[in-house]
Coordinates of all heavy atoms in Angstrom, one line a residue:
M19 N 33.9 27.5 -156.9 CA 34.8 27.9 -155.9 C 34.2 27.9 -154.5 O 33.1 28.5 -154.3 CB 35.4 29.2 -156.3 CG 36.4 29.8 -155.3 SD 37.1 31.3 -156.0 CE 38.0 31.9 -154.6
T20 N 34.8 27.3 -153.5 CA 34.3 27.3 -152.2 C 34.8 28.5 -151.4 O 35.9 28.9 -151.5 CB 34.7 26.0 -151.4 OG1 34.3 24.9 -152.2 CG2 34.2 26.0 -150.0
N21 N 33.9 29.2 -150.7 CA 34.2 30.3 -149.9 C 34.4 29.9 -148.5 O 33.5 29.7 -147.7 CB 33.1 31.4 -150.0 CG 33.5 32.6 -149.2 OD1 34.6 32.8 -148.8 ND2 32.5 33.5 -149.0
R22 N 35.7 29.7 -148.1 CA 36.0 29.2 -146.8 C 36.3 30.3 -145.8 O 37.0 31.3 -146.2 CB 37.3 28.3 -146.8 CG 37.0 26.9 -147.4 CD 38.2 26.0 -147.3 NE 38.7 26.0 -146.0 CZ 39.9 25.4 -145.7 NH1 40.7 25.0 -146.6 NH2 40.3 25.4 -144.4
T23 N 35.9 30.2 -144.6 CA 36.2 31.2 -143.6 C 37.1 30.7 -142.5 O 37.5 31.4 -141.6 CB 34.9 31.8 -143.0 OG1 34.2 30.7 -142.4 CG2 34.1 32.5 -144.0
D24 N 37.4 29.4 -142.6 CA 38.2 28.8 -141.6 C 39.5 28.2 -142.3 O 39.4 27.8 -143.5 CB 37.5 27.7 -140.8 CG 37.1 26.5 -141.7 OD1 36.8 26.8 -142.9 OD2 37.0 25.4 -141.3
I25 N 40.5 28.1 -141.6 CA 41.8 27.5 -142.1 C 42.4 26.8 -140.9 O 42.4 27.3 -139.8 CB 42.7 28.6 -142.7 CG1 43.9 28.0 -143.4 CG2 43.0 29.7 -141.7 CD1 44.7 29.0 -144.2
T26 N 43.0 25.7 -141.2 CA 43.6 24.9 -140.2 C 45.0 25.4 -139.9 O 45.6 26.1 -140.7 CB 43.7 23.4 -140.5 OG1 44.7 23.3 -141.6 CG2 42.4 22.8 -140.9
K27 N 45.5 25.1 -138.7 CA 46.9 25.5 -138.4 C 47.9 24.8 -139.2 O 49.0 25.4 -139.6 CB 47.2 25.3 -136.9 CG 46.4 26.2 -136.0 CD 46.6 26.1 -134.6 CE 45.7 27.0 -133.8 NZ 45.9 27.0 -132.4
E28 N 47.6 23.6 -139.7 CA 48.5 22.9 -140.6 C 48.6 23.7 -141.9 O 49.6 23.8 -142.5 CB 48.0 21.5 -140.8 CG 48.2 20.6 -139.6 CD 47.1 20.8 -138.5 OE1 46.0 21.4 -138.8 OE2 47.3 20.3 -137.4
E29 N 47.5 24.2 -142.4 CA 47.4 25.0 -143.6 C 48.2 26.3 -143.5 O 48.9 26.7 -144.4 CB 46.0 25.3 -144.1 CG 45.3 24.0 -144.6 CD 43.8 24.3 -144.8 OE1 43.1 25.0 -143.9 OE2 43.3 23.8 -145.8
I30 N 48.1 26.9 -142.3 CA 48.9 28.1 -142.0 C 50.3 27.8 -142.0 O 51.1 28.5 -142.7 CB 48.4 28.7 -140.7 CG1 47.0 29.2 -140.7 CG2 49.4 29.8 -140.3 CD1 46.4 29.6 -139.4
A31 N 50.8 26.7 -141.4 CA 52.2 26.4 -141.3 C 52.7 26.1 -142.7 O 53.8 26.5 -143.1 CB 52.4 25.2 -140.4
K32 N 51.9 25.4 -143.5 CA 52.3 25.0 -144.9 C 52.5 26.3 -145.7 O 53.4 26.5 -146.5 CB 51.3 24.1 -145.5 CG 51.5 23.9 -147.0 CD 52.6 22.9 -147.3 CE 52.7 22.5 -148.8 NZ 53.4 23.3 -149.6
G33 N 51.5 27.2 -145.5 CA 51.6 28.5 -146.3 C 52.9 29.3 -145.9 O 53.6 29.8 -146.8
Y34 N 53.2 29.3 -144.6 CA 54.5 30.0 -144.2 C 55.7 29.2 -144.7 O 56.7 29.8 -145.2 CB 54.6 30.1 -142.7 CG 53.8 31.3 -142.2 CD1 52.7 31.1 -141.3 CD2 54.2 32.6 -142.5 CE1 52.0 32.2 -140.8 CE2 53.5 33.7 -142.0 CZ 52.4 33.5 -141.1 OH 51.8 34.6 -140.7
D35 N 55.6 27.9 -144.7 CA 56.7 27.1 -145.3 C 57.0 27.5 -146.8 O 58.1 27.6 -147.2 CB 56.4 25.6 -145.2 CG 56.7 25.0 -143.8 OD1 57.2 25.7 -143.0 OD2 56.3 23.9 -143.7
D36 N 55.9 27.7 -147.5 CA 56.0 28.0 -148.9 C 56.7 29.4 -149.2 O 57.3 29.5 -150.3 CB 54.6 27.9 -149.6 CG 54.1 26.5 -149.7 OD1 54.8 25.6 -149.5 OD2 52.8 26.4 -149.9
I37 N 56.5 30.3 -148.3 CA 57.0 31.7 -148.5 C 58.2 32.0 -147.6 O 58.7 33.2 -147.6 CB 55.9 32.7 -148.4 CG1 55.3 32.8 -147.0 CG2 54.8 32.5 -149.5 CD1 54.4 33.9 -146.8
A38 N 58.7 31.1 -146.8 CA 59.6 31.4 -145.8 C 60.9 32.1 -146.2 O 61.4 33.0 -145.5 CB 60.0 30.0 -145.1
E39 N 61.4 31.8 -147.4 CA 62.6 32.4 -147.8 C 62.5 33.7 -148.6 O 63.4 34.3 -149.0 CB 63.4 31.3 -148.6 CG 63.8 30.2 -147.8 CD 64.6 29.1 -148.5 OE1 64.9 29.3 -149.7 OE2 64.9 28.1 -147.9
I40 N 61.2 34.1 -148.9 CA 61.0 35.2 -149.8 C 60.3 36.4 -149.1 O 60.3 37.5 -149.6 CB 60.3 34.9 -151.1 CG1 59.0 34.2 -150.8 CG2 61.2 34.0 -151.9 CD1 58.1 34.0 -152.1
V41 N 59.6 36.1 -147.9 CA 58.8 37.2 -147.3 C 59.3 37.4 -145.9 O 59.7 36.5 -145.2 CB 57.3 36.7 -147.3 CG1 56.5 37.7 -146.5 CG2 56.8 36.6 -148.7
G42 N 59.3 38.6 -145.5 CA 59.7 39.0 -144.1 C 59.9 40.5 -144.0 O 59.9 41.2 -145.0
V43 N 60.0 40.9 -142.8 CA 60.2 42.4 -142.6 C 61.7 42.6 -142.5 O 62.5 41.8 -142.2 CB 59.5 42.9 -141.3 CG1 58.0 42.7 -141.5 CG2 60.0 42.1 -140.1
G44 N 62.1 43.9 -142.7 CA 63.5 44.2 -142.7 C 64.1 44.5 -141.3 O 63.3 44.6 -140.3
G45 N 65.4 44.5 -141.2 CA 66.1 44.7 -140.0 C 65.7 45.9 -139.2 O 65.8 46.0 -138.0
T46 N 65.4 47.0 -139.9 CA 65.1 48.3 -139.2 C 63.8 48.1 -138.5 O 63.7 48.8 -137.4 CB 65.0 49.4 -140.2 OG1 64.1 49.2 -141.2 CG2 66.4 49.7 -140.9
F47 N 62.9 47.3 -138.9 CA 61.7 47.0 -138.1 C 62.0 46.5 -136.7 O 61.5 47.0 -135.7 CB 60.8 46.1 -138.9 CG 59.6 45.6 -138.0 CD1 58.5 46.4 -137.9 CD2 59.6 44.4 -137.4 CE1 57.4 46.0 -137.1 CE2 58.6 43.9 -136.7 CZ 57.5 44.7 -136.5
Y48 N 63.0 45.5 -136.7 CA 63.4 45.0 -135.4 C 64.1 46.0 -134.6 O 64.0 46.0 -133.3 CB 64.2 43.7 -135.6 CG 63.3 42.6 -136.3 CD1 63.7 42.1 -137.5 CD2 62.2 42.1 -135.7 CE1 62.9 41.1 -138.2 CE2 61.4 41.2 -136.3 CZ 61.8 40.7 -137.6 OH 61.0 39.7 -138.2
D49 N 64.9 46.8 -135.2 CA 65.6 47.9 -134.5 C 64.6 48.8 -133.8 O 64.8 49.1 -132.6 CB 66.5 48.7 -135.4 CG 67.8 47.9 -135.9 OD1 68.2 47.0 -135.1 OD2 68.3 48.2 -137.0
D50 N 63.6 49.1 -134.5 CA 62.5 50.0 -133.9 C 61.9 49.2 -132.7 O 61.6 49.9 -131.7 CB 61.5 50.4 -135.0 CG 62.0 51.3 -136.0 OD1 63.1 51.9 -135.7 OD2 61.4 51.4 -137.1
C51 N 61.6 48.0 -132.9 CA 60.9 47.2 -131.8 C 61.8 47.2 -130.6 O 61.3 47.2 -129.5 CB 60.6 45.8 -132.3 SG 59.4 45.6 -133.5
L52 N 63.1 47.0 -130.8 CA 64.0 46.9 -129.7 C 64.5 48.2 -129.1 O 65.2 48.2 -128.1 CB 65.2 46.0 -130.1 CG 64.9 44.6 -130.5 CD1 66.2 43.9 -130.9 CD2 64.3 43.9 -129.3
S53 N 64.1 49.3 -129.6 CA 64.5 50.6 -129.2 C 64.1 50.9 -127.7 O 64.7 51.7 -127.0 CB 64.1 51.7 -130.1 OG 62.7 51.9 -130.0
I54 N 63.1 50.2 -127.3 CA 62.6 50.4 -125.9 C 63.3 49.6 -124.9 O 63.2 49.8 -123.7 CB 61.1 50.1 -125.8 CG1 60.8 48.7 -126.1 CG2 60.3 51.1 -126.6 CD1 59.3 48.3 -125.8
Q55 N 64.1 48.6 -125.3 CA 64.9 47.7 -124.4 C 66.3 47.7 -124.9 O 66.6 47.2 -126.0 CB 64.2 46.3 -124.4 CG 64.9 45.4 -123.5 CD 64.5 45.6 -122.0 OE1 63.5 46.2 -121.7 NE2 65.4 45.3 -121.1
K56 N 67.2 48.2 -124.1 CA 68.6 48.3 -124.5 C 69.4 47.0 -124.3 O 70.3 46.7 -125.0 CB 69.3 49.5 -123.9 CG 68.6 50.8 -124.1 CD 68.6 51.1 -125.6 CE 67.9 52.4 -125.9 NZ 67.4 52.6 -127.2
R57 N 69.1 46.3 -123.2 CA 69.8 45.1 -122.8 C 68.8 44.0 -122.5 O 67.7 44.2 -122.0 CB 70.7 45.3 -121.6 CG 71.8 46.4 -121.8 CD 72.8 46.1 -122.8 NE 73.6 44.9 -122.5 CZ 74.3 44.2 -123.4 NH1 74.4 44.6 -124.6 NH2 75.0 43.2 -123.0
F58 N 69.3 42.7 -122.7 CA 68.4 41.6 -122.4 C 69.2 40.6 -121.5 O 70.4 40.4 -121.7 CB 68.0 40.9 -123.7 CG 67.1 41.7 -124.5 CD1 67.7 42.6 -125.5 CD2 65.8 41.6 -124.4 CE1 66.8 43.4 -126.3 CE2 64.9 42.4 -125.2 CZ 65.5 43.3 -126.1
S59 N 68.5 40.0 -120.6 CA 69.1 39.0 -119.7 C 68.1 37.9 -119.3 O 66.9 38.1 -119.5 CB 69.7 39.6 -118.5 OG 68.7 40.3 -117.7
G60 N 68.6 36.8 -118.8 CA 67.7 35.8 -118.3 C 67.3 34.9 -119.5 O 68.1 34.5 -120.3
H61 N 66.0 34.6 -119.6 CA 65.5 33.8 -120.6 C 64.6 34.6 -121.5 O 63.7 35.3 -121.0 CB 64.6 32.6 -120.1 CG 65.4 31.6 -119.3 ND1 65.6 31.7 -118.0 CD2 66.1 30.5 -119.7 CE1 66.4 30.7 -117.6 NE2 66.7 30.0 -118.6
V62 N 64.8 34.6 -122.8 CA 64.0 35.4 -123.8 C 63.4 34.5 -124.8 O 64.0 33.7 -125.4 CB 64.9 36.4 -124.5 CG1 64.1 37.2 -125.5 CG2 65.6 37.3 -123.5
L63 N 62.0 34.6 -124.9 CA 61.3 33.7 -125.8 C 60.7 34.6 -126.9 O 60.0 35.6 -126.6 CB 60.1 33.0 -125.1 CG 59.1 32.3 -126.0 CD1 59.8 31.2 -126.8 CD2 58.0 31.7 -125.1
D64 N 61.0 34.3 -128.2 CA 60.4 35.0 -129.3 C 59.3 34.1 -129.8 O 59.5 33.1 -130.4 CB 61.5 35.3 -130.4 CG 60.9 36.0 -131.6 OD1 59.7 36.4 -131.6 OD2 61.7 36.3 -132.5
V65 N 58.0 34.5 -129.6 CA 56.9 33.7 -130.1 C 56.6 34.2 -131.5 O 56.4 35.3 -131.8 CB 55.7 34.0 -129.2 CG1 54.4 33.3 -129.7 CG2 56.0 33.5 -127.7
G66 N 56.5 33.2 -132.4 CA 56.4 33.5 -133.8 C 57.7 34.0 -134.4 O 57.7 35.0 -135.1
C67 N 58.8 33.3 -134.1 CA 60.1 33.8 -134.3 C 60.5 33.9 -135.8 O 61.5 34.5 -136.2 CB 61.1 32.9 -133.6 SG 61.3 31.2 -134.2
G68 N 59.7 33.3 -136.7 CA 60.0 33.4 -138.1 C 61.4 32.9 -138.4 O 61.8 31.9 -137.9
R69 N 62.1 33.7 -139.2 CA 63.5 33.3 -139.6 C 64.5 33.6 -138.4 O 65.7 33.3 -138.6 CB 63.9 34.1 -140.8 CG 63.1 33.6 -142.0 CD 63.5 34.4 -143.3 NE 63.1 35.8 -143.2 CZ 63.3 36.7 -144.0 NH1 64.1 36.5 -145.1 NH2 62.8 37.9 -143.9
G70 N 64.1 34.1 -137.3 CA 65.0 34.4 -136.2 C 65.7 35.7 -136.3 O 66.7 35.8 -135.5
L71 N 65.3 36.6 -137.1 CA 66.0 37.9 -137.2 C 65.9 38.7 -135.9 O 66.9 39.4 -135.6 CB 65.4 38.6 -138.4 CG 65.5 37.9 -139.8 CD1 65.0 38.8 -140.9 CD2 67.0 37.5 -140.1
L72 N 64.8 38.7 -135.3 CA 64.7 39.4 -134.0 C 65.6 38.8 -133.0 O 66.3 39.5 -132.2 CB 63.2 39.4 -133.5 CG 63.0 40.1 -132.2 CD1 63.4 41.6 -132.2 CD2 61.5 40.0 -131.8
L73 N 65.7 37.5 -132.9 CA 66.6 36.8 -132.0 C 68.0 37.2 -132.2 O 68.8 37.3 -131.3 CB 66.4 35.3 -132.1 CG 65.2 34.7 -131.4 CD1 65.0 33.2 -131.7 CD2 65.2 34.9 -129.9
Q74 N 68.4 37.3 -133.5 CA 69.7 37.8 -133.8 C 70.0 39.2 -133.2 O 71.1 39.4 -132.6 CB 70.0 37.9 -135.3 CG 70.2 36.6 -136.0 CD 70.4 36.7 -137.5 OE1 69.7 37.5 -138.1 NE2 71.4 36.1 -138.0
K75 N 69.1 40.1 -133.3 CA 69.2 41.4 -132.8 C 69.3 41.4 -131.2 O 70.0 42.1 -130.6 CB 68.1 42.3 -133.2 CG 67.9 42.5 -134.7 CD 68.7 43.7 -135.1 CE 68.5 43.9 -136.6 NZ 69.3 45.0 -137.1
I76 N 68.4 40.5 -130.6 CA 68.4 40.4 -129.2 C 69.8 39.8 -128.7 O 70.3 40.3 -127.7 CB 67.3 39.5 -128.7 CG1 65.9 40.3 -128.9 CG2 67.4 39.1 -127.3 CD1 64.7 39.4 -128.7
A77 N 70.3 38.8 -129.5 CA 71.6 38.2 -129.1 C 72.7 39.3 -129.1 O 73.6 39.2 -128.2 CB 72.0 37.1 -130.1
D78 N 72.6 40.2 -130.0 CA 73.6 41.3 -130.0 C 73.6 42.2 -128.7 O 74.5 42.8 -128.4 CB 73.4 42.2 -131.2 CG 73.8 41.5 -132.5 OD1 74.5 40.4 -132.5 OD2 73.3 42.0 -133.6
R79 N 72.4 42.2 -128.1 CA 72.2 43.1 -126.9 C 72.1 42.3 -125.6 O 71.8 42.9 -124.6 CB 70.9 43.9 -127.1 CG 70.9 44.8 -128.3 CD 69.5 45.4 -128.5 NE 69.5 46.1 -129.7 CZ 68.8 47.2 -129.9 NH1 68.0 47.6 -129.0 NH2 68.8 47.9 -131.0
A80 N 72.3 41.0 -125.7 CA 72.1 40.1 -124.5 C 73.3 40.1 -123.6 O 74.5 40.2 -124.1 CB 71.8 38.7 -125.0
E81 N 73.1 40.1 -122.3 CA 74.1 40.0 -121.4 C 74.6 38.5 -121.3 O 73.9 37.6 -121.8 CB 73.6 40.4 -120.0 CG 73.2 41.9 -119.9 CD 72.6 42.3 -118.6 OE1 72.6 41.5 -117.7 OE2 72.2 43.4 -118.5
A82 N 75.8 38.3 -120.9 CA 76.4 37.0 -120.8 C 75.4 36.1 -120.0 O 74.8 36.5 -119.0 CB 77.7 37.0 -120.1
G83 N 75.2 34.9 -120.5 CA 74.4 33.9 -119.8 C 72.9 33.9 -120.2 O 72.1 33.1 -119.8
T84 N 72.5 34.9 -121.1 CA 71.2 35.0 -121.5 C 70.9 33.8 -122.4 O 71.7 33.4 -123.3 CB 70.9 36.3 -122.3 OG1 71.2 37.4 -121.5 CG2 69.5 36.4 -122.8
K85 N 69.7 33.2 -122.2 CA 69.3 32.0 -123.0 C 68.2 32.5 -124.0 O 67.2 33.1 -123.5 CB 68.9 30.9 -122.2 CG 70.0 30.3 -121.3 CD 69.6 29.0 -120.6 CE 70.7 28.5 -119.7 NZ 71.9 28.3 -120.3
L86 N 68.3 32.2 -125.3 CA 67.3 32.6 -126.3 C 66.5 31.4 -126.7 O 67.1 30.3 -127.0 CB 68.1 33.2 -127.4 CG 68.9 34.4 -127.1 CD1 69.6 34.9 -128.4 CD2 68.1 35.5 -126.5
F87 N 65.2 31.6 -126.9 CA 64.3 30.6 -127.3 C 63.4 31.1 -128.4 O 63.1 32.3 -128.4 CB 63.4 30.1 -126.2 CG 64.2 29.5 -125.0 CD1 64.7 30.4 -124.0 CD2 64.5 28.2 -124.9 CE1 65.4 29.9 -122.9 CE2 65.2 27.7 -123.9 CZ 65.7 28.5 -122.9
G88 N 63.0 30.3 -129.3 CA 62.0 30.7 -130.3 C 61.0 29.6 -130.6 O 61.4 28.4 -130.5
I89 N 59.9 30.0 -131.0 CA 58.8 29.1 -131.4 C 58.1 29.6 -132.6 O 57.9 30.8 -132.7 CB 57.8 28.8 -130.2 CG1 56.8 27.7 -130.6 CG2 57.1 30.0 -129.7 CD1 55.9 27.2 -129.5
D90 N 57.8 28.7 -133.5 CA 57.0 29.1 -134.7 C 56.3 27.9 -135.2 O 56.7 26.8 -135.0 CB 58.0 29.7 -135.8 CG 57.2 30.5 -136.8 OD1 56.4 30.0 -137.6 OD2 57.3 31.8 -136.7
I91 N 55.2 28.2 -135.9 CA 54.3 27.1 -136.4 C 54.9 26.5 -137.6 O 54.5 25.4 -138.0 CB 52.9 27.6 -136.6 CG1 51.9 26.4 -136.6 CG2 52.8 28.5 -137.8 CD1 50.4 26.9 -136.5
S92 N 55.8 27.2 -138.3 CA 56.3 26.7 -139.6 C 57.6 26.0 -139.4 O 58.6 26.6 -138.9 CB 56.6 27.9 -140.5 OG 57.4 27.6 -141.5
P93 N 57.7 24.7 -139.8 CA 59.0 24.0 -139.7 C 60.1 24.6 -140.5 O 61.2 24.7 -140.1 CB 58.6 22.6 -140.3 CG 57.2 22.4 -140.0 CD 56.6 23.8 -140.2
K94 N 59.8 25.1 -141.7 CA 60.8 25.8 -142.6 C 61.3 27.0 -141.9 O 62.5 27.3 -141.9 CB 60.2 26.1 -143.9 CG 61.1 26.7 -144.9 CD 62.3 25.8 -145.2 CE 63.2 26.5 -146.2 NZ 64.3 25.6 -146.6
L95 N 60.5 27.8 -141.3 CA 60.9 29.0 -140.6 C 61.8 28.7 -139.4 O 62.8 29.3 -139.2 CB 59.8 29.9 -140.2 CG 59.1 30.7 -141.4 CD1 57.8 31.4 -140.9 CD2 60.0 31.7 -142.0
C96 N 61.4 27.6 -138.7 CA 62.3 27.2 -137.6 C 63.6 26.7 -138.1 O 64.6 27.0 -137.4 CB 61.5 26.1 -136.8 SG 60.2 26.7 -135.8
E97 N 63.7 26.1 -139.2 CA 64.9 25.6 -139.8 C 65.8 26.8 -140.1 O 67.0 26.9 -139.7 CB 64.7 24.8 -141.0 CG 65.9 24.4 -141.8 CD 65.6 23.7 -143.1 OE1 64.6 22.9 -143.1 OE2 66.3 23.9 -144.1
L98 N 65.2 27.9 -140.7 CA 66.0 29.1 -141.0 C 66.4 29.8 -139.7 O 67.5 30.3 -139.6 CB 65.2 30.0 -141.9 CG 64.9 29.5 -143.3 CD1 63.8 30.4 -144.0 CD2 66.1 29.4 -144.1
A99 N 65.5 29.8 -138.7 CA 65.9 30.5 -137.4 C 67.0 29.8 -136.7 O 67.9 30.4 -136.1 CB 64.6 30.5 -136.5
R100 N 67.1 28.4 -136.8 CA 68.2 27.7 -136.2 C 69.5 28.0 -136.9 O 70.5 28.1 -136.3 CB 67.9 26.2 -136.3 CG 66.9 25.7 -135.3 CD 66.7 24.2 -135.3 NE 65.4 23.8 -134.8 CZ 64.4 23.4 -135.5 NH1 64.4 23.3 -136.8 NH2 63.2 23.2 -134.9
Q101 N 69.4 28.1 -138.3 CA 70.6 28.5 -139.0 C 71.1 29.9 -138.6 O 72.3 30.1 -138.5 CB 70.4 28.4 -140.5 CG 70.1 27.1 -141.1 CD 69.6 27.1 -142.5 OE1 69.7 28.1 -143.2 NE2 69.2 25.9 -143.0
N102 N 70.2 30.8 -138.4 CA 70.5 32.2 -138.0 C 70.9 32.3 -136.6 O 71.5 33.3 -136.2 CB 69.4 33.1 -138.4 CG 69.2 33.3 -139.9 OD1 70.1 33.3 -140.6 ND2 67.9 33.4 -140.3
N103 N 70.5 31.4 -135.7 CA 70.8 31.4 -134.3 C 71.2 30.1 -133.7 O 70.4 29.5 -133.0 CB 69.5 31.9 -133.6 CG 69.0 33.3 -134.1 OD1 69.5 34.3 -133.6 ND2 68.1 33.3 -135.0
P104 N 72.3 29.6 -134.1 CA 72.7 28.3 -133.6 C 72.8 28.1 -132.1 O 72.7 27.0 -131.6 CB 74.1 28.1 -134.2 CG 74.6 29.4 -134.7 CD 73.4 30.2 -134.9
E105 N 72.9 29.2 -131.4 CA 73.0 29.2 -129.9 C 71.6 29.2 -129.3 O 71.4 28.9 -128.1 CB 73.7 30.4 -129.4 CG 73.0 31.7 -129.4 CD 72.7 32.3 -130.8 OE1 73.3 31.9 -131.8 OE2 71.9 33.2 -130.9
A106 N 70.5 29.4 -130.0 CA 69.2 29.5 -129.5 C 68.5 28.1 -129.6 O 68.8 27.3 -130.4 CB 68.4 30.5 -130.3
D107 N 67.5 27.9 -128.7 CA 66.7 26.7 -128.8 C 65.4 27.1 -129.5 O 64.5 27.8 -129.0 CB 66.4 26.3 -127.3 CG 65.6 25.0 -127.3 OD1 65.5 24.3 -128.3 OD2 65.2 24.6 -126.1
I108 N 65.3 26.6 -130.7 CA 64.2 26.9 -131.6 C 63.3 25.6 -131.8 O 63.8 24.6 -132.1 CB 64.6 27.4 -133.0 CG1 65.7 28.4 -132.9 CG2 63.4 27.8 -133.9 CD1 65.2 29.8 -132.4
V109 N 62.0 25.8 -131.5 CA 61.1 24.6 -131.7 C 59.9 24.9 -132.6 O 59.5 26.1 -132.6 CB 60.6 24.1 -130.3 CG1 61.8 23.6 -129.4 CG2 59.8 25.2 -129.6
V110 N 59.4 23.9 -133.2 CA 58.2 24.0 -134.0 C 57.1 23.8 -133.0 O 57.0 22.9 -132.2 CB 58.1 23.0 -135.1 CG1 56.8 23.0 -135.8 CG2 59.2 23.1 -136.1
G111 N 56.1 24.8 -133.0 CA 55.0 24.6 -132.0 C 54.0 25.7 -132.3 O 54.2 26.6 -133.0
D112 N 52.9 25.5 -131.6 CA 51.7 26.4 -131.6 C 51.7 27.3 -130.4 O 51.6 26.8 -129.3 CB 50.5 25.6 -131.7 CG 49.2 26.3 -131.8 OD1 49.2 27.6 -131.7 OD2 48.1 25.7 -132.0
A113 N 51.8 28.6 -130.6 CA 51.9 29.5 -129.5 C 50.6 29.5 -128.6 O 50.7 29.9 -127.5 CB 52.1 31.0 -130.0
E114 N 49.5 29.1 -129.2 CA 48.3 29.0 -128.5 C 48.2 27.8 -127.5 O 47.3 27.7 -126.7 CB 47.1 28.9 -129.4 CG 46.9 30.2 -130.2 CD 45.7 30.2 -131.1 OE1 45.2 29.1 -131.5 OE2 45.2 31.3 -131.3
T115 N 49.2 26.9 -127.6 CA 49.2 25.8 -126.7 C 50.5 25.7 -125.8 O 50.9 24.7 -125.4 CB 49.1 24.4 -127.5 OG1 50.2 24.3 -128.4 CG2 47.8 24.4 -128.3
L116 N 51.1 26.9 -125.6 CA 52.2 26.9 -124.7 C 51.8 26.5 -123.3 O 50.7 26.8 -122.8 CB 52.8 28.3 -124.6 CG 53.5 28.8 -125.8 CD1 53.9 30.3 -125.7 CD2 54.8 28.0 -126.1
P117 N 52.6 25.8 -122.5 CA 52.2 25.4 -121.2 C 52.2 26.6 -120.2 O 52.9 27.6 -120.5 CB 53.3 24.4 -120.7 CG 54.5 24.6 -121.7 CD 53.9 25.3 -122.9

């Protein structure tokens, strides 16, 4: 057995793809996160958006005209986030290489 201390981003993305539909935090976690911000406006980016559950909560509190965006390294999670947030622009990408 090899003892690896490094893992590629592709391996990370694949790992998240494998567990995308079975692992995640509950809605009350996001409610707690959002308790400090009551309304959202402008452009909102969720980095590491996962299944898009936080974006759903933000959409519920967003003012008219607010644009929602999400980025995640996992293609499967982005697919789920798009299903959960058809109005949001969700992309597969690496948060460490944002422009």
